[in-house]
Amino acid sequence: MNAKIDFSKISFLIVDGDKISAQVVYDTLAYLGASHIQRVKTPNDAFDVLRTEKIDIVVCEWRLRGMDGLEFLDVMRNSTNSPNRFIPVIMLTAHSELRYVTTARDLGITEFLAKPFNAKALYSRLVSVIARPRRFINTGTYFGPDRRRRQVQFDGPDRRSLDE
Amino acid sequence: MSHFDWGSGAVVKPEDSKKKKNVQIIPAQTDLKRRAVNFIKGFDINLSPKQLEELEQVVQRSSDTFVREIGKDLMDCRKTVITALGDKSKRPAAVVAASDLAYSVKALGGTFQYPLMTQIAKSMETFVADRTTANEKQLLVIQLHIDSLYVILAGRVTGFGTTVEQATVAALTKLTERYEAPRE
């Protein structure tokens, strides 16, 4: 028997100033059965929602008016005023170059989805966030999901427990 | 082997140099998984090709909205650029409008089966990136990009087009390289 995801049990917040892009994500989530989906255009509105409602997953565009998606992520992960430092954030962006991906990763993004995207790519990010949650790492310079996704054999020193 | 640390003036033993790093590993939050993953209700974690196709059709529902909205945005941006050609004070606003439009088209074109629009928008976005204004020739380069995007949209040219369309993309890229400077 295949494992399933009941999306009606999860609440979503879409943070995207682009009407069409937000609509595509909204339609996809609604089709999957999500009944609690909020849409806002700016990070400030997002913080208002996050402080007053229970949101499980944030789907955020990088390019936003005022504070951009990265600053939003930085506040979510590192600010003492953050409504929820552990909330999964899926970053959608047309900035798909490697430097953008690594920047987002190092600020604690949960999943990164490059635009233009298709339904399969969006679904796989949702599955990853819900069904395969990652542990969090807290160091002096990083707070966010474990960036080491692949478990590979490594014979070097364990830098998480010892100084070099 | 112990050594003298010139900085602190102390004799450092090997075991002293290895201090515990302050790394906290927090177990994964499994609340979402516990609530949503089950064997009865919902969508399979691994969707079948048919389910994926249905999901893709949901995405494509917004295709008409894309054509309508982007078509309007292209016309508006074209007017802004043409106005800016004759009025220097309006050039910064025209560059901002072109940058926003380029990003939107680049982000969404491919999703709605217009990858050619994404290609051209990417060329336009690179051209306007980090600019606060543009000179007359640079505005004309922007206008040519907008016109090309409009023709593709109006002609519903899905996919990457023929050799003619690819030659157009190559020509636009060359134009952007030629009129790259000055970048103000």
Side-chain angles (χ1 to χ4, degrees):
Chain A
M1 193 182 280
N2 288 334
K4 297 174 186 295
I5 296 180
D6 182 357
F7 286 90
S8 68
K9 305 275 186 196
I10 302 168
S11 54
F12 294 89
L13 174 65
I14 303 166
V15 191
D16 197 336
D18 188 299
K19 200 168 78 178
I20 306 168
S21 172
Q23 187 64 44
V24 169
V25 177
Y26 184 94
D27 287 348
T28 308
L29 294 174
Y31 177 79
L32 290 170
S35 51
H36 188 107
I37 314 166
Q38 290 264 33
R39 268 184 293 190
V40 294
K41 289 183 175 176
T42 67
N44 285 335
D45 293 342
F47 286 126
D48 288 343
V49 173
L50 287 162
R51 288 197 180 98
T52 53
E53 292 179 39
K54 190 183 178 311
I55 298 292
D56 296 314
I57 298 174
V58 175
V59 182
C60 177
E61 164 62 49
W62 183 310
R63 187 173 167 133
L64 297 165
R65 289 272 173 232
M67 182 190 283
D68 69 22
L70 268 198
E71 290 168 301
F72 171 72
L73 178 66
D74 194 18
V75 173
M76 285 302 297
R77 293 283 185 248
N78 300 312
S79 169
T80 51
N81 289 326
S82 172
N84 179 359
R85 294 183 76 193
F86 294 94
I87 197 164
V89 179
I90 301 174
M91 180 76 79
L92 299 175
T93 179
H95 297 313
S96 53
E97 294 83 358
L98 184 63
R99 64 196 163 104
Y100 290 106
V101 181
T102 52
T103 304
R105 183 200 62 190
D106 292 344
L107 272 176
I109 200 71
T110 314
E111 290 293 335
F112 191 92
L113 180 54
K115 289 179 177 178
F117 63 86
N118 56 23
K120 186 182 176 183
L122 177 57
Y123 189 76
S124 76
R125 302 310 189 278
L126 293 169
V127 168
S128 177
V129 165
I130 298 163
R132 293 187 280 274
R134 283 183 282 155
R135 60 189 184 176
F136 265 62
I137 304 296
N138 185 16
T139 71
T141 53
Y142 175 76
F143 181 85
D146 193 346
R147 290 170 290 184
R148 298 178 186 175
R149 292 191 187 223
R150 281 179 296 178
Q151 298 298 315
V152 291
Q153 194 67 36
F154 179 63
D155 296 328
D158 183 358
R159 293 191 300 166
R160 280 191 180 154
S161 59
L162 299 171
D163 263 338
E164 288 171 297
Chain B
M1 202 170 97
S2 55
H3 70 277
F4 180 74
D5 184 345
W6 290 96
S8 62
V11 175
V12 179
K13 291 176 187 165
E15 56 268 33
D16 293 339
S17 66
K18 288 186 175 181
K19 288 177 189 165
K20 281 281 179 195
K21 212 175 195 178
N22 196 14
V23 176
Q24 190 185 7
I25 298 174
I26 302 158
Q29 315 271 304
T30 53
D31 175 50
L32 279 183
K33 187 175 179 178
R34 210 173 46 245
R35 263 192 286 151
V37 179
N38 66 91
F39 289 96
I40 301 162
K41 188 183 170 194
F43 282 80
D44 287 353
I45 283 182
N46 297 310
L47 292 181
S48 66
K50 188 170 178 283
Q51 286 174 309
L52 272 176
E53 199 179 306
E54 284 168 6
L55 196 59
E56 191 56 46
Q57 280 170 8
V58 174
V59 171
Q60 297 306 320
R61 270 187 216 159
S62 299
S63 183
D64 287 344
T65 314
F66 169 77
V67 171
R68 197 170 52 245
E69 297 277 334
I70 293 295
K72 183 181 172 299
D73 290 349
L74 283 167
M75 281 198 291
D76 291 346
C77 192
R78 190 175 194 276
K79 276 181 205 160
T80 308
V81 170
I82 288 170
T83 309
L85 277 167
D87 183 349
K88 278 190 178 179
S89 70
K90 293 190 173 159
R91 289 180 184 179
V95 170
V96 171
S99 174
D100 287 347
L101 178 68
Y103 184 84
S104 287
V105 178
K106 177 185 157 189
L108 291 166
T111 297
F112 296 114
Q113 318 305 325
Y114 292 99
L116 191 60
M117 289 183 76
T118 288
Q119 271 189 314
I120 293 173
K122 196 171 180 179
S123 163
M124 182 164 140
E125 194 202 21
T126 308
F127 185 65
V128 295
D130 303 323
R131 286 187 200 280
T132 52
T133 188
N135 62 30
E136 202 172 307
K137 283 180 180 166
Q138 288 167 338
L139 284 172
L140 286 170
V141 172
I142 293 170
Q143 194 193 323
L144 278 172
H145 277 83
I146 294 170
D147 289 347
S148 306
L149 289 169
Y150 195 86
V151 168
I152 293 164
L153 194 65
R156 302 287 197 276
V157 182
T158 52
F160 284 96
T162 62
T163 49
V164 176
E165 281 84 14
Q166 283 305 315
T168 308
V169 175
L172 286 170
T173 306
K174 282 213 164 167
L175 263 181
T176 61
E177 286 163 6
R178 186 167 174 186
Y179 294 104
E180 158 74 27
R183 187 173 285 270
E184 305 171 68

